[in-house]
Amino acid sequence: MICVERIVLREIRLPLKEPFRISSGVLSHRRIGLLELFDSSGASVWAECVADDLPNYSPETIDTCWIAIQQWVAPRVLGRRFDGARDAQAVLEQDFRGHNMAKAAVEMGLWGLEATIRALPLARLVGGVREEIDVGISLGIQQTPALLVQKAQEALADGYRKVKIKIGPGKDVEYLAAARSALGAEAPLMADANNAYSLDDADHLARFDEFKLMMIEQPLAWDDLVRHAELQRRLKTPLCLDESITSVDRARDMVALGAGQIVNIKPGRVGGFTQSIAIHDYCEATGVPVWCGGMFESGIGRAYNVALASMSNFRKPGDTSPSARYWEQDVVAPEWTMNGGGRMKVPLDQPGIGVAVDVERVEHLTVRSAVLSRT
Ligand code: OSB
Ligand code: MG
């Protein structure tokens, strides 16, 4: 049984090692929402809210999440008895539209709490089967193709099993051509456009087929499926959807329409683990591979992604890079690391989320906090 008595919500600021440019904006430091959930049994766990500063990826931001968690999400959970974390989603969805990242922060915290209380590694609780996961890197839009090539070469030398290249109009063909020719025919490359194109660009995007990308991620609008289906009919390269998949029903629609062939699962985007598992299971049954996306999580959010990515149908390397790719210093110990073969160990030797939080450092980085308890 789980019964959350209190949630401490905070915002921390973590500077990125280097700014990250995508088609819809640039990020130089991360405002991160962290939660600590306290169970009536005395157990506690950390969780993360992945919403960012601006609504340029999804409509949610850390500020909307702050309000949503305080006013609507936490009150539904505080003091309520759940047999298991799996039961939380229905409670959070009833007559409550959207705010998936806010819901996910608390819902995933309940999964972390259940794992802690039952003394199970989180990966085991969600039904993970892998001891290690394959790791990819997401490279922001660079000043020049030559700079991209250098970054991609370094990434492959480090062992990364997939290199994702952010693209946008005017920053695409040249970059992809340079990467493919420098890295060779076999290099595992893909592109992510974060909604930067329209269907009018279909002929232009069809030119990317020659680069033999593993996939092109979310080229069209953030909430579109119908136009992606039209585009997919005109491309050989598989489309992968990120922004558009906000629930298992959207994954079903993707398959029904032929809008994509691969799904990027980010638990924050879909409202948490129960929905992520539903998408995973549906895609597995339908023969659609999935992989775990990233939102520049701290080591806390990363713990949840790693646990999820240990499930069987996570069949492509995820954007689950090690701590040092993002931060001078993470907020967890041990930090997340990758071996030279591009693999990350799933922490299966300890219960809960598998990393300890450096509470002193979190305190130091905290810019605001709120204690939420049953009123
Ligand atoms: O589209 O996958 C994306 C980061 C922020 C917002 C959107 C995206 C990304 C990434 C980064 O690609 C992946 C990572 O966390 O390494
Ligand atoms: Mg993406």
Side-chain angles (χ1 to χ4, degrees), residues 177-318:
R180 179 53 82 205
S181 88
L183 302 169
E186 299 305 315
L189 300 180
M190 65 167 288
D192 185 0
N194 292 104
N195 330 317
Y197 299 93
S198 79
L199 209 42
D200 294 341
D201 300 310
D203 289 338
H204 176 68
L205 294 168
R207 291 175 61 198
F208 301 1
D209 280 343
E210 71 170 291
F211 304 126
K212 301 275 189 285
L213 303 172
M214 298 166 74
M215 68 196 95
I216 300 173
E217 186 177 343
Q218 196 76 32
L220 307 181
W222 66 280
D223 56 352
D224 172 80
L225 291 167
V226 171
R227 291 163 191 80
H228 278 98
E230 172 64 23
L231 179 63
Q232 181 67 90
R233 285 191 279 279
R234 294 166 69 173
L235 302 186
K236 289 202 188 77
T237 309
L239 293 181
C240 167
L241 296 184
D242 172 354
E243 285 89 330
S244 290
I245 305 298
T246 49
S247 67
V248 65
D249 280 338
R250 293 294 85 73
R252 291 192 181 101
D253 295 347
M254 179 195 90
V255 170
L257 292 165
Q261 303 179 36
I262 300 169
V263 175
N264 167 337
I265 297 181
K266 294 179 182 171
R269 193 192 65 227
V270 304
F273 265 15
T274 300
Q275 194 67 236
S276 298
I277 293 166
I279 296 171
H280 168 275
D281 292 352
Y282 165 73
C283 287
E284 182 156 65
T286 317
V288 171
V290 305
W291 53 279
C292 186
M295 293 288 292
F296 286 111
E297 288 87 351
S298 81
I300 295 169
R302 203 159 298 282
Y304 288 84
N305 288 349
V306 170
L308 191 67
S310 73
M311 295 180 75
S312 55
N313 193 39
F314 281 82
R315 282 193 269 150
K316 312 233 174 245

Side-chain angles (χ1 to χ4, degrees), residues 50-101:
V50 299
D52 200 12
D53 195 24
L54 297 172
N56 61 3
Y57 168 79
S58 88
E60 293 184 88
T61 71
I62 182 161
D63 298 301
T64 70
C65 285
W66 194 269
I67 292 170
I69 290 171
Q70 286 203 66
Q71 298 195 11
W72 308 305
V73 182
R76 288 185 181 216
V77 166
L78 287 165
R80 190 187 290 255
R81 288 161 202 273
F82 292 102
D83 285 337
R86 207 173 262 280
D87 297 337
Q89 190 207 3
V91 169
L92 292 177
E93 283 309 311
Q94 189 180 9
D95 303 324
F96 183 176
R97 314 288 180 244
H99 298 280
N100 284 359
M101 291 180 181

